[in-house]
Amino acid sequence: MPPISDRTRLISSATRRGRGRRPVNPPVERASTMLSDDPARMQEGSDGPVYGLDGTSAARELRTLLADMEGAADAFLVPSGLAAVTVPLLALLRPGDEVVTTDAVYGPTRRFLTRHLAARGVGARFHPADASTDAILAGIGPQTRILLIEAPASLSFDMVDVPALAAACRARGVLTVMDNTWAAGLAFRPLAHGIDVSVQALTKYVGGHSDILMGGIAAGAPEVLRALTHAIEDMGWHVSPDDAWLALRGIRTLPLRYQAQARSALQVAQWLQTRPEVAQVLYPPLPGSVGHELWRRDFDGAASIMGLVMKGGDTAAAHAFMRALSLFGMGYSWGGYESLVTHETPQLTHRLHAPALPGQLLRLHIGLEDPVDLMNDLEGGLAGWQAQLNA
Ligand SMILES: *Cc1c(COP(=O)(O)O)cnc(C)c1O
């Protein structure tokens, strides 16, 4: 049979033959203790998990699908997307090491670097979000152990040349970790582009319904997998069987939701770009947007989240825009079925090299609603914005 697509692959494991009569989905197995029939086999891994921490059926199935999707030798589940970033850093760094990452890195990741790791003797260096490949590599010093890549990066959606950075780091013995949440493990395969560890917040598109928190970590090299396994065992990380079950449910429909939301997002982005109140739409799939060329070269799909840079304005106008919307929830996170809006200008103050934007920055997440209804709603938001500016 010719190779099958992600859409098929993520479903076909459910209908695998030879496991007897059973429901399509595994049961939710809530367990700390697992019982054995024979004292000589109590530690026997081939009989199934020895203890609840090893993860029951849904978690194991989900790990297999994630590893398969990422082209990884193995994948791990951790309790949040943030933990998916922090666990590899804890596993692979030692005092005296340094991490290089983008100034536009996800905020809580930045806090982990500057607070937790700094207190334990690990340094962090932040390159400007729009730095060239050469400039990023020039920032790598003798102490640098990991280049942490996030592309498109948080809030400003800057892209970097991932294959070039991965190859240069490998040549210098620097490990690369990529936060691949935007691509949901689908639109970009970090490991196939030379990245050592690919992580994502399964909270976002894999969960897809804004009802769980979870992270996924995928890697290929045996020594990296060993370090990750030890860190997870040593720190006692675990995800609940109920959450693993929900993530497994979510991943079956991931490709369809992801594609449908990206289609709507592009439609909304193109429309927003024509509006006189809008200075810029930050959305790599949009021609002319920040990151468009690299996105087109390296990615096969897109998330449905974008930055909306307004012409001027202030906090009151941004809030008026948000209050005038009725279909967009005001809430953090993204990747669920529902559209969301946030005001992000205040977040930019944490950066060392804040981007020079001509106005307020809002963030839109486009859900599974009809995009025509969303554009009508945004029309009302823009009217609210304008009314506040004229007040
Ligand atoms: C949301 C997010 C995370 C963290 O995920 P949580 O499950 O909310 O902890 C990490 N990285 C990126 C880029 C994110 O957007």
Side-chain angles (χ1 to χ4, degrees), residues 148-212:
L148 174 61
I149 295 174
E150 191 185 311
S154 286
L155 306 185
S156 45
F157 301 95
D158 318 83
M159 294 284 294
V160 292
D161 189 337
V162 179
L165 289 170
C169 284
R170 187 154 294 185
R172 294 166 192 219
V174 172
L175 290 167
T176 48
V177 176
M178 180 165 177
D179 185 332
N180 196 35
T181 299
W182 195 90
L186 281 179
F188 187 75
R189 318 275 162 161
L191 270 51
H193 287 90
I195 294 288
D196 294 301
V197 183
S198 173
V199 307
Q200 66 157 316
L202 303 173
T203 305
K204 307 282 167 58
Y205 289 100
V206 169
H209 295 74
S210 305
D211 52 6
I212 55 165

Side-chain angles (χ1 to χ4, degrees), residues 67-124:
D68 197 29
M69 199 165 60
E70 296 269 0
D74 203 356
F76 304 88
L77 304 177
V78 288
S80 68
L82 180 57
V85 181
T86 62
V87 165
L89 299 180
L90 288 167
L92 298 166
L93 293 163
R94 299 290 175 270
D97 289 346
E98 181 193 66
V99 179
V100 170
T101 193
T102 171
D103 195 33
V105 75
Y106 177 63
T109 298
R110 176 186 209 102
R111 188 182 61 200
F112 175 74
L113 293 170
T114 56
R115 193 164 68 185
H116 188 92
L117 284 186
R120 286 154 185 82
V122 174

Side-chain angles (χ1 to χ4, degrees), residues 16-32:
R16 206 165 46 227
R17 309 262 161 94
R19 288 180 296 173
R21 184 160 298 136
R22 62 195 185 277
V24 171
N25 297 295
V28 178
E29 298 160 304
R30 298 191 186 89
S32 52

Side-chain angles (χ1 to χ4, degrees), residues 360-384:
Q360 296 294 304
L361 176 64
L362 292 147
R363 190 179 76 173
L364 298 177
H365 169 254
I366 303 302
L368 284 167
E369 303 91 337
D370 187 329
V372 173
D373 295 330
L374 296 178
M375 288 185 282
N376 286 335
D377 200 32
L378 289 165
E379 182 95 53
L382 293 170

Side-chain angles (χ1 to χ4, degrees), residues 210-356:
S210 305
D211 52 6
I212 55 165
L213 287 152
M214 198 180 296
I217 306 170
E223 65 278 12
V224 173
L225 290 172
R226 197 173 323 112
L228 290 168
T229 301
H230 290 174
I232 288 167
E233 280 176 1
D234 293 346
M235 290 186 273
W237 294 121
H238 174 65
V239 304
S240 82
D242 299 76
D243 287 351
W245 195 95
L246 285 169
L248 185 61
R249 162 178 282 206
I251 207 169
R252 308 289 189 192
T253 57
L254 167 69
L256 284 184
R257 287 185 287 102
Y258 191 75
Q259 284 162 15
Q261 288 176 246
R263 247 192 328 270
S264 294
L266 186 59
Q267 206 178 330
V268 171
Q270 281 165 335
W271 174 77
L272 283 168
Q273 212 179 17
T274 67
R275 294 293 314 211
E277 303 87 348
V278 174
Q280 244 177 305
V281 181
L282 309 176
Y283 187 52
L286 184 68
S289 163
V290 59
H292 179 68
E293 297 308 321
L294 285 168
W295 174 81
R296 204 176 53 176
R297 189 191 75 184
D298 293 339
F299 283 59
D300 301 321
S304 58
I305 186 156
M306 66 188 77
L308 185 57
V309 183
M310 305 300 286
K311 287 187 185 148
D314 52 18
T315 298
H319 288 182
F321 175 94
M322 292 166 71
R323 285 196 193 98
L325 297 171
S326 61
L327 298 179
F328 286 77
M330 291 182 231
Y332 293 104
S333 201
W334 40 290
Y337 57 83
E338 79 290 11
S339 291
L340 296 169
V341 59
T342 52
H343 178 219
E344 300 290 3
T345 304
Q347 297 296 327
L348 297 175
T349 56
H350 301 298
R351 296 205 184 164
L352 296 174
H353 322 269

